[in-house]
Amino acid sequence: MADRTVAHLVVERLRAWRVPRAFGCPGEAIAPVVEALDAAGGDPEFVPARHEESAAFMATGHAKFTGGIGVCLATQGPSAVHLLNGLYDAKLDSKPVVAIVGEDVTGPLGEVHEEIGLTRLFGDVCHQFVRYGRTPEQVPALLDQAFRTAAATRSPTCVVLPRALQEAAVPQLQPHAAGVLTATPGEPLARVLPHQADLDAAATLLTVGHRVAILVGQGGRGAADQIVALADRLGAGVAASLLGKPVLDERLPFHTGVLGEVGSTAAAQLMGGADTLLMVGTNDPWTDYLPMPGQARTIQIDIDGRRIGTRYPVDVPLVGDATETLRALLGQVADRPDRQWRATVEGAVDRWRAEAAGHAAAPAEPVNPQLVLRELSARLPYAASVAVDVGSVLSWYARHLQLPPGVDAQLCGALGSLGCALPYALAAKLARPDVPVLALLGDAAMQLNGLAELITVAHRWQDWADPRLVVLVLNNRDHSGLGDGRWTPGVAGRRADVPYAGWARLLGLHGVRVDRPELVGAAWDEALAADRPCVLEAVVDPAVAPTAPEPALADLRSLFADGHATRRIRDRMMAAERQIVEAEDLV
């Protein structure tokens, strides 16, 4: 190959975009780029995964934990197909990822080994930007466009580079030549605020509301101080979506916890009693747990105007950054907290926390999985990162693991794909090797790809300043927690009982197996004190099943759906509407 090829140019553009690492699986069609990365001295570094799906999850996990742009590499054919799951995770949770795919097709098209139409394959998941590189002159601008589009649209993009192009010599580029696009690296960091008229209308609704509820999603990250200040000013209660769980300190007395099927009864009650709803950066799918349409006047804040009103009717849309928008609202909303409503909310929170503690303490054979997550809460290291998989572990995380300030947590939210937690945890650990990381998953996810990616952990951990990466495996030895979180016991018989802690020890890692409830706390202490990554295998009772909380006013919903609402129900709803109107007249 020439001294400077397009593959070297790719590495230079990754470095210009401040990409610290790219995740992938080596292959012939992407080999020139991988070789150029190997020669780059770790700036950026190439991180080989055991499977392309894991590599795409790592790239998405990098974007989720760091706020940067994730990068994954693959070759054509089945390698490219395997990227799709992680890229759809990025698309549905609005995270920027760039996929660079190598292609090595010679001979008649349509008859080539491993040939797949890549633009059609990635046309949906990377619909914002999918392009082929054709000439060396195109590559810098092509990559810049891919990165800029990923950042601006918060979505995955794809660039396909034929191997012959990767090996081609780079000529003296002529930036202003005809047909050559130029671009400079840099992420758009616009300050977005709603129109003043919309801020005025939102402030009015919040001021006249008697029973204000605030639902916080992942778009509320960085705005915790403003959310708490507004809640105190209005005497509001707060609930979180699953993705919004890390935004606020869950120990706040008015924080009702996660809303939805895996959430708390207090959050459902908050929504059932609210007459005003403020949604902050959330696209939560569990609409059954929101107030009944017509019950509450609603304001929604989102940086993406396309999402406003897609889940719930909105009276005042506010398109803007959560922090900036909330700061503007605080300057306009009067200080008139409803102490009676706040006391009601805090009472519901107290009852829920006592109920959750009782569930975790209930006897089980051999160990109650709720107890395992509850014992972790008091032991979470400061500034730790937590990656959560799909299945029953998601319910126990949502209900029993309180996240204090400084602890970040990520999960596969909208896609709900099994097998994301360990790749996420690796990405988080590589981004911040000086802080502890925890991966929470069930035995199904561990068998899917976790056993293989422990090899990656074993290969990398000695370079970490803080060697702690704790992988919790809830081993219920049964096919009880499906990928979508539903509980369907015995759907495919008993799962193979794999010695997960023993597998860790075979790889040179630490392994702890606990099957007695009185030893769960000590097992966490041992895992978190280990001088190397650790698999904590908790043998749990498959009969302990997650149950969804009853949506507030669920009885009213069913009656309205059947068209048989009674006069008493109609009168109740009309009285609530009159209270809202009377409050507005006082302003």
Side-chain angles (χ1 to χ4, degrees), residues 451-535:
L451 292 172
E453 290 308 329
L454 272 185
I455 300 172
T456 310
V457 175
H459 177 66
R460 306 287 307 219
W461 75 268
Q462 295 190 47
D463 296 330
W464 299 337
D466 184 329
R468 289 177 294 174
L469 192 161
V470 180
V471 181
L472 168 67
V473 182
L474 294 180
N475 182 9
N476 65 13
R477 300 145 294 152
D478 194 87
H479 214 302
S480 301
L482 291 183
D484 61 2
R486 291 176 296 178
W487 190 263
T488 53
V491 83
R494 296 180 65 83
R495 185 181 296 113
D497 191 4
V498 174
Y500 303 102
W503 170 238
R505 290 191 289 269
L506 283 175
L507 293 174
L509 308 177
H510 194 60
V512 179
R513 189 175 191 269
V514 60
D515 56 6
R516 293 168 56 185
E518 68 271 18
L519 297 180
V520 170
W524 273 118
D525 292 336
E526 180 179 345
L528 290 166
D531 63 351
R532 61 195 62 207
C534 176
V535 170

Side-chain angles (χ1 to χ4, degrees), residues 191-350:
R191 178 175 181 264
V192 182
L193 268 175
H195 292 293
Q196 187 59 48
D198 293 329
L199 288 169
D200 294 341
T204 299
L205 281 188
L206 290 173
T207 301
V208 302
H210 288 292
R211 303 180 300 279
V212 180
I214 301 175
L215 178 60
V216 180
Q218 65 170 334
R221 287 176 178 266
D225 292 343
Q226 289 76 22
I227 295 169
V228 171
L230 186 61
D232 284 336
R233 186 165 296 182
L234 298 170
V238 174
S241 71
L242 264 173
L243 291 175
K245 181 178 167 74
V247 173
L248 296 183
D249 184 351
E250 292 189 287
R251 297 168 299 183
L252 292 168
F254 53 87
H255 195 315
T256 61
V258 171
L259 179 70
E261 289 183 5
V262 300
S264 74
T265 56
Q269 291 163 3
L270 171 70
M271 294 298 157
D275 64 13
T276 307
L277 174 62
L278 172 61
M279 303 169 69
V280 181
T282 178
N283 196 34
D284 198 285
W286 282 315
T287 54
D288 282 353
Y289 288 85
L290 294 174
M292 292 183 63
Q295 172 191 332
R297 300 295 175 89
T298 303
I299 303 140
Q300 185 174 356
I301 301 171
D302 205 292
I303 190 66
D304 189 345
R306 295 172 297 181
R307 292 184 171 171
I308 290 182
T310 59
R311 300 292 189 186
Y312 190 78
V314 172
D315 295 286
V316 181
L318 297 177
V319 180
D321 299 305
T323 302
E324 299 287 351
T325 302
L326 288 166
R327 186 176 291 125
L329 280 176
L330 279 167
Q332 296 186 232
V333 173
D335 188 5
R336 46 168 297 180
D338 188 320
R339 298 302 175 195
Q340 182 176 358
W341 172 239
R342 171 62 72 83
T344 300
V345 171
E346 292 182 357
V349 171
D350 290 341

